[in-house]
Amino acid sequence: MAGHSKWANIQHRKNRQDSVRAKVFSKMSKEITVAAKMGDPDPDKNPRLRLAVKEAKAVSVPKDVIDRAIKKSTAQDGEDYEEIRYEGYGPNGVAVIVEAMTDNRNRTASNVRSTFTKNGGNLGETGSVGFMFDRKGAVTYPASVGDADTVMMAAIEAGAEDVESSEEGHTVWCADTDLNDVATALEAELGESESTKLVWRPTTTTEMDLENMEKLMKLVDALEDDDDVQRVTTNFEASDEVMEALNG
């Protein structure tokens, strides 16, 4: 994992254009509404909602949008979304997990399947690639918060499992069920995090060359463009040279 695994970058790459920004806001709103509906509409009493609000703020979703999404959860005529996970393979056999929220399971399944097919991948059965990932909590901080030892000590105190530090910043890993507690403890010690979320962390990775990375990006972009898709995770690993050529 260390050094060259850039799989997490996929989720941040597309926040460039306004149209993408609007889509991100819409997906965050949906997550907030569902989290509030499943528990308490007060973030202090609902860990999942608290994390959803925190993540929305991290990508600059306005407060009125967040408040509207919470209010929507108590409206009787609101859409009923269900959460579905799809698993499949992309170019070079790379594993892909697609998390969706939908009010029409058939539409979403059909769209996801055809997106895989059109972009050189194939949709598998549930569980076909999930075993290559662990469900984990990830809390990220900028490098400016302190050196690796400072963050490591805070993470140990908070009950985390692991820390990855680089020039870009720090990622604190914990069990998925501990995320709320660990994030709260870290905040008391290190201040507000850049991001706090549940992720799929690859336990094995697939090495990708430039040609396959370009194909994978097309597949991920197409999946992320679907309004029902919340997030896409893959287990690719690529050298710095490949990533530079891709982004160049």
Side-chain angles (χ1 to χ4, degrees), residues 140-146 151 166-170 190 192-195:
T140 59
Y141 278 94
S144 58
V145 82
V151 176
S166 70
E167 286 170 16
E168 282 93 53
H170 311 276
L190 301 172
E192 189 82 22
S193 66
E194 279 186 328
S195 144

Side-chain angles (χ1 to χ4, degrees), residues 9-22:
N9 294 358
I10 278 189
Q11 289 165 350
H12 309 297
R13 280 179 36 262
K14 286 187 62 200
N15 292 4
R16 289 190 298 273
Q17 316 112 343
D18 287 344
S19 61
V20 172
R21 190 176 171 79

Side-chain angles (χ1 to χ4, degrees), residues 89 91 110-123 215 218-219 222-223:
Y89 292 94
S110 164
N111 288 349
V112 169
R113 184 179 300 281
S114 83
T115 301
F116 267 95
T117 306
K118 282 180 195 159
N119 291 279
N122 60 298
L123 191 60
K215 288 179 188 166
K218 268 187 74 178
L219 170 61
L223 286 166

Side-chain angles (χ1 to χ4, degrees), residues 183-227:
T184 304
L186 286 171
E187 202 168 297
E189 197 65 34
L190 301 172
E192 189 82 22
S193 66
E194 279 186 328
S195 144
T196 299
K197 57 188 167 188
L198 287 167
V199 298
W200 293 99
R201 188 186 192 189
T203 51
T204 61
T205 53
T206 299
E207 185 70 36
M208 304 290 273
D209 59 18
L210 182 57
E211 186 188 345
N212 280 314
M213 273 307 295
E214 284 169 343
K215 288 179 188 166
L216 177 61
M217 290 299 102
K218 268 187 74 178
L219 170 61
V220 170
D221 285 352
L223 286 166
E224 285 184 340
D225 278 340
D226 189 314
D227 289 337

Side-chain angles (χ1 to χ4, degrees), residues 112-181:
V112 169
R113 184 179 300 281
S114 83
T115 301
F116 267 95
T117 306
K118 282 180 195 159
N119 291 279
N122 60 298
L123 191 60
E125 298 294 315
T126 302
S128 57
V129 304
F131 68 92
M132 299 184 213
F133 299 80
D134 285 334
R135 190 66 164 156
K136 292 290 179 190
V139 186
T140 59
Y141 278 94
S144 58
V145 82
D147 61 18
D149 288 344
T150 304
V151 176
M152 178 63 83
M153 287 309 295
I156 291 167
E157 287 289 315
E161 294 177 343
D162 190 16
V163 180
E164 284 177 5
S165 295
S166 70
E167 286 170 16
E168 282 93 53
H170 311 276
T171 301
V172 179
W173 296 98
C174 63
D176 56 346
T177 49
D178 294 342
L179 180 57
N180 190 51
D181 292 344

